[in-house]
């Protein structure tokens, strides 16, 4: 009779262990969902329009890049925007068309116009002796 009791006890222990494992899987799934929603909320989406100037990121320069060499190719113009982030750009220097992901692009600003900027001359503080 002692074998039957120990067998029942062992079955209960295995059921408890399986229950704990299932709870941990569920907690892990919930944590991953929360982390993903937080990450997706922090991502800034870029909107590109046809005719807009952009900078193209050169990913193949990462290994042998000089210290002051830029990783961005300037002077590209957006010619077509596809859904799901694919964009066709045209280089103004070589007039070639490239189809790239929007994550490799950055908005190009020609220059900011300063309006109503006032210059304030700074004076040295008086010395206390």
């Amino acid at each position: 009779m002692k074998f039957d009791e120990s067998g029942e006890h062992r079955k209960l222990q295995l059921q408890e262990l399986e229950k704990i494992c299932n709870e941990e899987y569920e907690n892990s799934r919930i944590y991953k969902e929360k982390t993903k929603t937080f990450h997706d909320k922090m991502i800034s989406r870029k909107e590109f329009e046809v005719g807009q100037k952009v900078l193209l990121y050169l990913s193949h320069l990462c290994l042998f890049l000089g210290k002051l060499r830029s990783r961005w190719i300037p002077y590209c113009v957006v010619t077509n925007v596809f859904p799901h982030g694919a964009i066709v750009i045209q280089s103004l220097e070589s007039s070639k068309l490239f189809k790239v992901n929007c994550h490799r692009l950055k908005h190009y600003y020609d220059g900011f116009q300063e309006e109503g900027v006032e210059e304030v001359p700074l004076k040295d503080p008086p010395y206390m002796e």
Side-chain angles (χ1 to χ4, degrees):
M1 286 304 224
K2 190 159 182 135
F3 289 118
D4 291 337
E5 291 176 11
S6 64
E8 286 293 322
H9 183 67
R10 182 68 177 157
K11 286 181 185 178
L12 289 175
Q13 286 179 338
L14 289 174
Q15 287 177 351
E16 288 178 18
L17 183 63
E18 187 175 342
K19 182 179 175 184
I20 291 172
C21 285
N22 289 338
E23 287 176 1
E24 290 301 319
Y25 281 130
E26 184 65 22
N27 289 340
S28 175
R29 186 186 61 79
I30 291 170
Y31 172 76
K32 286 179 183 181
E33 285 178 2
K34 286 183 180 180
T35 306
K36 183 183 181 325
T37 55
F38 178 76
H39 178 266
D40 291 346
K41 185 172 61 173
M42 292 300 171
I43 293 176
S44 61
R45 305 283 182 209
K46 298 177 188 173
E47 298 291 328
F48 294 101
E49 299 172 358
V50 175
Q52 185 178 14
K53 289 184 179 180
V54 293
L55 300 173
L56 174 64
Y57 181 73
L58 286 177
S59 59
H60 66 275
L61 284 180
C62 290
L63 296 176
F64 305 107
L65 182 65
K67 193 180 222 181
L68 300 175
R69 192 167 174 191
S70 177
R71 295 180 184 174
W72 296 90
I73 296 178
Y75 313 120
C76 297
V77 177
V78 175
T79 58
N80 196 357
V81 178
F82 294 105
H84 307 297
I87 295 178
V88 177
I89 60 171
Q90 180 179 10
S91 174
L92 295 180
E93 296 173 352
S94 62
S95 69
K96 291 183 179 180
L97 294 174
F98 301 100
K99 191 177 205 180
V100 296
N101 193 336
C102 70
H103 297 294
R104 294 182 59 196
L105 297 177
K106 183 165 57 169
H107 295 287
Y108 177 76
Y109 298 105
D110 288 329
F112 295 104
Q113 298 176 356
E114 299 177 0
E115 296 179 8
V117 176
E118 180 182 337
E119 288 188 27
V120 178
L122 299 176
K123 297 179 182 177
D124 291 331
Y127 294 105
M128 300 179 83
E129 294 181 16

